[in-house]
Amino acid sequence: MHMTTTGIVLREVNYKESDKILTVLTRDGGKLTLNARGCRRKNSAIAASSQLLCYSELTLYEYRDRWSLKEGDVLREWRKVRSNLDKLSLASWFAELTECLTVEDLPAPEILRLLLNSLYALDELDKPCLQIKAAFELKMMALAGYEPDLSGCAVCGEPNPEPRFHLNQGVIHCPKCRGALGPGISMPLSRAALDAMRYVVSGDERRLFSFRIPQEDLEQMAAVTEAYVLTQLERGFRTLDFYKQMAL
């Protein structure tokens, strides 16, 4: 069986002397594990398309229930991202979170678009990396089934409370309603940070990074989105740790 599709490499693992095992998010097949035989050999025709974060047109073939990469034509390499270590480490975090939140063999076109749009923003747009990071994390969680309820206080229903965000419950609440939500960490949010989060969750995906927010509020929003990811998924991520070391 053969399949031609587009896809982006989320993870690469060297295998044997000249091969790699790739995790690729594809347009038609969702997340797939591929054998890239001989891709590490000099002058291999599939070397470029077997690199982390490369977005390519791929020709795959299946043999004994395993996919292998036959041909690859690179569509986007994100050269500006690759030449900037801070951006490259952030892009690697995007790839690891995407791998965590996608399911093998299940198409995820919205998640693929989000990842590509976020890499484009890092590569081409004059936006703070922290803004792209926060928007990506929040939108990714929403698409993966962890969308927070930002409509109003989850206890009393006040639509515009003095907001706090409960990481375990994924809701906003008034300070006076904190006790009704049970255990877990509750983080403060400014009104500007809450408005930006609402924009990301419900706004036009084509203008995901178009919001404006003061630096102090952006830092607060980014702290909440990162903490929400880690709380809900109950694990750490090596690429996120590396990015934060780079950002110090």
Side-chain angles (χ1 to χ4, degrees):
M1 176 180 174
H2 284 70
M3 174 170 63
T4 298
T5 186
T6 56
I8 185 167
V9 178
L10 303 178
R11 184 161 65 103
E12 56 179 351
V13 177
N14 290 342
Y15 180 64
K16 295 184 177 179
E17 291 186 2
S18 59
D19 303 347
K20 286 182 183 179
I21 304 297
L22 306 177
T23 303
V24 181
L25 184 60
T26 67
R27 179 192 63 211
D28 301 294
K31 184 171 69 176
L32 300 177
T33 301
L34 311 179
N35 290 327
R37 292 188 175 91
C39 68
R40 292 159 57 209
R41 293 192 187 118
K42 187 178 180 180
N43 299 324
S44 168
I46 60 172
S49 55
S50 300
Q51 299 294 317
L52 180 68
L53 298 171
C54 273
Y55 178 58
S56 308
E57 184 174 29
L58 306 170
T59 300
L60 314 176
Y61 67 92
E62 188 179 26
Y63 179 69
R64 293 183 178 177
D65 297 324
R66 300 197 69 176
W67 286 102
S68 294
L69 176 60
K70 182 179 180 181
E71 297 176 1
D73 183 16
V74 175
L75 302 175
R76 196 71 189 254
E77 293 182 279
W78 324 107
R79 293 183 182 275
K80 295 175 185 176
V81 169
R82 292 183 183 280
S83 65
N84 182 305
L85 190 53
D86 288 340
K87 289 186 176 183
L88 180 59
S89 62
L90 183 54
S92 298
W93 159 231
F94 291 174
E96 187 177 10
L97 183 58
T98 301
E99 182 188 5
C100 175
L101 290 173
T102 48
V103 179
E104 197 86 11
D105 300 320
L106 182 65
E110 291 181 318
I111 288 179
L112 178 59
R113 284 197 302 272
L114 172 62
L115 177 58
L116 294 175
N117 288 342
S118 299
L119 293 175
Y120 175 84
L122 283 177
D123 207 50
E124 298 291 345
L125 300 185
D126 184 22
K127 295 289 183 180
C129 286
L130 195 63
Q131 181 171 339
I132 298 171
K133 175 180 179 289
F136 172 83
E137 290 167 345
L138 183 57
K139 191 67 172 182
M140 176 62 76
M141 293 295 283
L143 292 177
Y146 297 87
E147 181 174 333
D149 183 358
L150 305 174
S151 58
C153 177
V155 178
C156 71
E158 168 60 44
N160 292 298
E162 180 185 342
R164 296 186 66 88
F165 185 79
H166 196 285
L167 297 175
N168 295 77
Q169 298 294 333
V171 298
I172 59 171
H173 63 88
C174 305
K176 63 182 177 61
C177 296
R178 169 68 181 87
L181 290 172
I185 295 174
S186 177
M187 297 180 69
L189 273 178
S190 66
R191 294 289 175 84
L194 175 58
D195 287 344
M197 290 175 67
R198 284 170 169 169
Y199 174 87
V200 168
V201 168
S202 60
D204 186 345
E205 66 175 27
R206 294 169 297 182
R207 298 183 57 81
L208 183 65
F209 309 105
S210 296
F211 61 93
R212 295 179 180 274
I213 183 172
Q215 181 65 25
E216 182 178 354
D217 300 296
L218 174 58
E219 291 174 0
Q220 190 178 60
M221 173 187 174
V224 167
T225 60
E226 181 182 303
Y228 184 55
V229 171
L230 298 177
T231 299
Q232 291 295 314
L233 301 184
E234 299 182 307
R235 55 162 290 186
F237 295 87
R238 59 178 181 80
T239 53
L240 177 60
D241 293 340
F242 182 72
Y243 168 73
K244 291 169 72 174
Q245 290 174 6
M246 292 297 302
L248 291 178

